[in-house]
Amino acid sequence: MAKASIEMAVWDLYAKLQKLPLWRVMGGSKKRVPCGAVIAASNTAEALDQAEQFLNEGYSRIKVKISPQNGLDVIKQIKARFPLLDILADANSSFTLDDIPILKEFDTLGLLMIEQPLDACDIVQHRHIQAIMNTPICLDESISSLLDVKSAWELNSCNVINIKISRLGGVTEAINVHDYCVKMG
């Protein structure tokens, strides 16, 4: 069993023994948080159908996978049909600094964020994109420790961190990352 899974089981057991909800044991303050869904469509019509389905299911935000060759038109169409829907874009490291003109086009769409536009190993280069974008850049695959978060913050490489318990090695490190992000605004 992976360290993160064992640690999560310990947190869960502790919460049960204390007869408290896990969110409270972990220091949370909200019983509910908005969640989103990911559009996995091969064309714009299918993406629009999925967006409508997710809205009907109660989701308030959606994530659309993008690349330099794909996604701009899909997001424009979704925004046109559902103007109040919050949209995030996930680039999965598909862009380079040469693609800045394309990223600037996404910047006009009022997205909540663009996740991981550049290579996961490149926290430094993300600062160049964040410096010229209004849309917050989110680092995901780049973040595997609190030190990564501190480096990204010091370099102004992003405004959002995607916290993944398993990538961070467990709940304790995830809480440390969360608390640091809250402290830094």
Side-chain angles (χ1 to χ4, degrees):
M1 188 181 271
K3 176 187 170 202
S5 298
I6 293 169
E7 189 181 23
M8 190 68 220
V10 170
W11 279 90
D12 190 46
L13 177 61
Y14 180 77
K16 288 177 182 169
L17 291 172
Q18 297 297 313
K19 297 184 178 169
L20 292 170
L22 185 58
W23 63 267
R24 182 167 286 156
V25 170
M26 295 174 84
S29 60
K30 296 179 182 179
K31 290 183 181 182
R32 294 177 182 260
V33 293
C35 63
V38 179
I39 288 185
S42 58
N43 60 58
T44 303
E46 191 177 329
L48 288 167
D49 289 344
Q50 285 182 18
E52 185 169 18
Q53 177 185 343
F54 292 144
L55 276 171
N56 291 336
E57 291 173 2
Y59 291 98
S60 59
R61 63 180 79 172
I62 58 164
K63 183 189 291 190
V64 178
K65 301 290 185 171
I66 64 168
S67 70
Q69 302 79 29
N70 188 23
L72 189 62
D73 187 54
V74 171
I75 292 175
K76 284 180 179 178
Q77 297 275 344
I78 293 170
K79 283 295 243 182
R81 188 161 165 193
F82 309 103
L84 300 179
L85 180 63
D86 288 332
I87 300 176
L88 307 81
D90 186 353
N92 287 91
S93 302
S94 62
F95 290 82
T96 69
L97 291 179
D98 293 336
D99 298 315
I100 286 176
I102 300 167
L103 283 167
K104 289 295 287 176
E105 288 186 62
F106 283 100
D107 201 27
T108 66
L109 301 177
L111 302 174
L112 290 180
M113 65 183 194
I114 297 175
E115 186 175 322
Q116 202 66 50
L118 302 177
D119 190 85
C121 297
D122 203 344
I123 291 175
V124 175
Q125 296 303 321
H126 278 93
R127 71 184 174 158
H128 298 299
I129 293 174
Q130 187 61 86
I132 61 167
M133 300 280 289
N134 293 318
T135 305
I137 298 301
C138 171
L139 294 183
D140 178 3
E141 287 88 1
S142 299
I143 304 301
S144 59
S145 69
L146 180 58
L147 181 59
D148 292 338
V149 175
K150 288 179 177 181
S151 296
W153 176 255
E154 289 295 319
L155 292 167
N156 296 311
S157 296
C158 66
N159 288 318
V160 180
I161 298 290
N162 189 346
I163 298 173
K164 292 192 176 166
I165 293 171
S166 60
R167 184 172 289 127
L168 290 166
V171 175
T172 303
E173 186 75 349
I175 291 171
N176 291 338
V177 167
H178 169 273
D179 293 349
Y180 179 82
C181 290
V182 169
K183 176 182 168 188
M184 303 315 284

